[in-house]
Amino acid sequence: MADAARQKMMALNLNLIPGGVFPGAWRASGEDAHHFSSLPHYIECAKIAEAGKLDAIFVADMPTWRFKGEFRPFRGLDPTLALAAVAQHTTHLGLIATGSTSYNSVFNLARRMSTLDHISGGRAGWNIVATAGDDAAMNFGMEHSLDHDARYRRAHEFVEASLQLWDSWADDAWVADKASGVFVDDKRIRHVDYVGEHIKVKGPLNLPRCPQGHPVLVQAGSSEDGIALAARFADIVYSVQHTLESCQEFRRKVREHAVGWHRDPDTIRVLPGLINIVAGTEAEALREERDLQDLHAEHYAINALALLIGVPVEALELNKELPWDLVPPDGHGGSQQGHFATLVATAKREKLTVRQILARQGGGMTHVTAVGAPEQVADLMEEWFRAGACDGFNIMPASLPTGAKAFVEAVVPILQKRGLFRTDYPGETLRDTLGLARPPVGFSDADFGKPIMRVSAR
Ligand SMILES: Cc1cc2nc3c(=O)[nH]c(=O)nc-3n(C[C@H](O)[C@H](O)[C@H](O)COP(=O)(O)O)c2cc1C
């Protein structure tokens, strides 16, 4: 389908990786480093993003202590709670929190996301993750994670049921009419009675339909299952892409799958990650990159690399290429699938030694990376956008908050001057910002009106 209605402006998110995407960046700042895993850091970054009129700030999450945060700031705060606090310090910025479909009850997560939308005046987004890994499963009474397929079958049901719970109140159910004394019109609320292979929930939700109708849905799958889920439900699709061509191909696939789900592909924003270092000149930016790489604890880097590619750390020799005979051909199906595939492709193509990979692990191995003067960064973004490779970017500054400040103060004005990015927020909600309609209630009026069954709370 022609990309005819392609929106004229980029969508830009800030990916809040505490301290910045370069693992050693937190050591560069004069701050007390505890700050980076604390709420004030989230608020500081959010305010910078809002000053730049960015669409949203995104907080990833894994319900497990996985990457051993001993060498970099961890991301421990529950994202929905942290963003609820950030909502009090911002007015227009979207707030995208990760929520696991593997390790949550659908009633609780649907309610939490709706609550975030209510208290932020319609700025909530949900990054739908079918969390992988036995370590997470063991935190929820299981010995092993569901396999990849089952995780995604559960995720489809989880989102279906969430949509029905959000629509279990008609928009006019919350009457709050003092004259009649009716606070809620019971006839405009209904059970959902959702029964699936993995999910069963009666409903209704215990709060009204949220300002956006449904929070904005986000997904970051890279496998066939992941792309199918994203194409069916997501308004925003994050991705790990290293070349313009691979991103064009990924976006084409997502749009094609969306048509298969009878969706208009122009309502989906594909946002690859963009790692960036912006400075006055390219030479300054490259120097900053070297300085940040030098702060990268090699012990941490080599362990993180071994974990990502699924080989024992002892098998990695600094002056040799990766032990290709040990590297599992398709990775280990975990949540880093996109990172794994892109890193392996780059290392093979460029015949990189382990030392060279470690030096670029901060940036340049997985997500596309732009290190340079503001115009250079803007040029790369414009080239990808105009080539139809993406609908914008998930901005990943090498260091936070300084890198976000540099991006907002130096690159955003260039994008605005070129007519590629907004100069002000068009409305109140995240859907307004993204140019997305407020979805109608998924039930017809006839579906409402049956009395809500009362079950005595024995
Ligand atoms: C930008 C981005 C953000 C992600 N955020 C999370 C996250 O917060 N939690 C998580 O468990 N996985 C996260 N993932 C991993 C994806 O959800 C997904 O599992 C991964 O891309 C592998 O794809 P697949 O599941 O289709 O195999 C993220 C991936 C990307 C690219």
Side-chain angles (χ1 to χ4, degrees):
M1 173 187 292
D3 196 0
R6 188 165 155 61
Q7 97 269 357
K8 298 281 165 289
M9 298 271 183
M10 290 181 189
L12 296 178
N13 275 202
L14 177 64
N15 190 342
L16 203 167
I17 298 172
V21 71
F22 272 45
W26 62 281
R27 303 169 70 194
S29 99
E31 294 268 3
D32 161 15
H34 295 89
H35 169 81
F36 291 110
S37 290
S38 311
L39 183 62
H41 182 51
Y42 290 47
I43 294 169
E44 179 179 36
C45 295
K47 285 183 168 177
I48 293 169
E50 185 160 85
K53 313 295 179 204
L54 270 59
D55 297 58
I57 192 164
F58 159 62
V59 178
D61 188 56
M62 277 181 211
T64 179
W65 176 247
R66 181 173 290 170
F67 293 123
K68 308 277 174 279
E70 71 263 44
F71 292 104
R72 65 161 308 146
F74 51 82
R75 194 180 18 219
L77 297 173
D78 179 307
T80 34
L81 296 178
L83 290 175
V86 169
Q88 312 314 310
H89 297 267
T90 52
T91 55
H92 289 80
L93 186 71
L95 309 164
I96 299 177
T98 289
S100 171
T101 58
S102 300
Y103 304 117
N104 274 294
S105 78
V106 65
F107 187 95
N108 280 342
L109 189 57
R111 181 185 182 203
R112 232 169 37 235
M113 291 298 169
S114 179
T115 301
L116 181 61
D117 202 52
H118 276 283
I119 63 179
S120 65
R123 296 186 277 137
W126 168 28
N127 176 36
I128 305 161
V129 165
T131 310
D134 293 348
D135 55 346
M138 291 179 198
N139 289 337
F140 299 90
M142 299 159 68
E143 285 313 310
H144 298 293
S145 159
L146 291 172
D147 66 28
H148 196 271
D149 296 354
R151 279 192 290 115
Y152 274 97
R153 284 203 307 278
R154 179 184 162 93
H156 276 270
E157 292 186 5
F158 200 108
V159 181
E160 285 171 359
S162 300
L163 292 167
Q164 293 184 18
L165 285 170
W166 290 324
D167 289 347
S168 61
W169 289 52
D171 281 321
D172 57 3
W174 190 6
V175 283
D177 177 28
K178 292 183 186 153
S180 66
V182 175
F183 196 76
V184 169
D185 178 354
D186 219 12
K187 293 186 296 310
R188 304 295 287 156
I189 300 176
R190 55 164 285 133
H191 297 297
V192 299
D193 295 317
Y194 184 94
V195 180
E197 175 196 0
H198 297 274
I199 302 292
K200 185 176 178 192
V201 62
K202 181 147 193 75
L205 209 54
N206 59 347
L207 88 167
R209 199 161 189 253
C210 58
Q212 294 189 98
H214 304 154
V216 164
L217 299 183
V218 181
Q219 223 280 330
S222 59
S223 65
E224 282 308 313
D225 289 336
I227 291 172
L229 182 77
R232 180 180 179 195
F233 293 118
D235 303 301
I236 295 177
V237 181
Y238 295 148
S239 183
V240 183
Q241 299 295 335
H242 198 61
T243 64
L244 186 151
E245 295 71 24
S246 70
C247 202
Q248 274 175 329
E249 176 53 20
F250 177 80
R251 182 170 180 269
R252 188 192 60 70
K253 244 177 154 175
V254 170
R255 293 168 61 85
E256 206 172 79
H257 276 73
V259 173
W261 290 105
H262 312 296
R263 292 185 68 195
D264 171 0
D266 291 333
T267 61
I268 302 176
R269 311 282 179 264
V270 173
L271 307 184
L274 174 69
I275 295 175
N276 57 86
I277 299 179
V278 183
T281 65
E282 183 175 7
E284 279 172 47
L286 290 169
R287 198 168 35 251
E288 188 180 330
E289 182 184 33
R290 275 194 306 280
D291 295 348
L292 288 173
Q293 279 168 345
D294 293 346
L295 291 169
H296 198 174
E298 196 162 83
H299 174 65
Y300 162 77
I302 202 160
N303 274 293
L305 177 60
L307 201 70
L308 178 63
I309 60 173
V311 304
V313 67
E314 303 73 34
L316 298 179
E317 296 178 50
L318 286 173
N319 299 323
K320 288 209 177 125
E321 282 197 40
L322 293 176
W324 293 117
D325 56 328
L326 296 178
V327 176
D330 55 358
H332 41 97
S335 64
Q336 300 295 300
Q337 204 55 22
H339 293 80
F340 169 87
T342 317
L343 183 142
V344 163
T346 310
K348 259 200 186 122
R349 188 178 58 247
E350 301 177 24
K351 299 194 175 327
L352 299 173
T353 64
V354 169
R355 187 184 299 286
Q356 288 168 322
I357 293 172
L358 295 182
R360 288 169 54 179
Q361 225 183 342
M365 284 301 297
T366 54
H367 297 275
V368 61
T369 299
V371 176
E375 294 73 20
Q376 291 173 297
V377 176
D379 289 349
L380 180 146
M381 296 173 75
E382 180 166 7
E383 183 200 3
W384 280 46
F385 181 67
R386 292 210 183 284
C390 62
D391 301 286
F393 296 88
N394 202 2
I395 303 298
M396 304 168 72
S399 61
L400 281 176
T402 46
K405 215 159 178 297
F407 179 84
V408 160
E409 290 172 359
V411 180
V412 167
I414 296 173
L415 298 173
Q416 291 168 329
K417 218 153 102 240
R418 294 182 188 180
L420 294 167
F421 192 60
R422 70 181 66 82
T423 51
D424 207 349
Y425 289 104
E428 301 307 316
T429 71
L430 176 53
R431 285 181 182 279
D432 293 338
T433 303
L434 291 165
L436 298 173
R438 183 177 189 273
V441 171
F443 297 112
S444 69
D445 277 349
D447 293 327
F448 289 94
K450 299 191 196 74
I452 287 282
M453 184 176 64
R454 293 261 173 282
V455 179
S456 63
R458 274 195 286 281

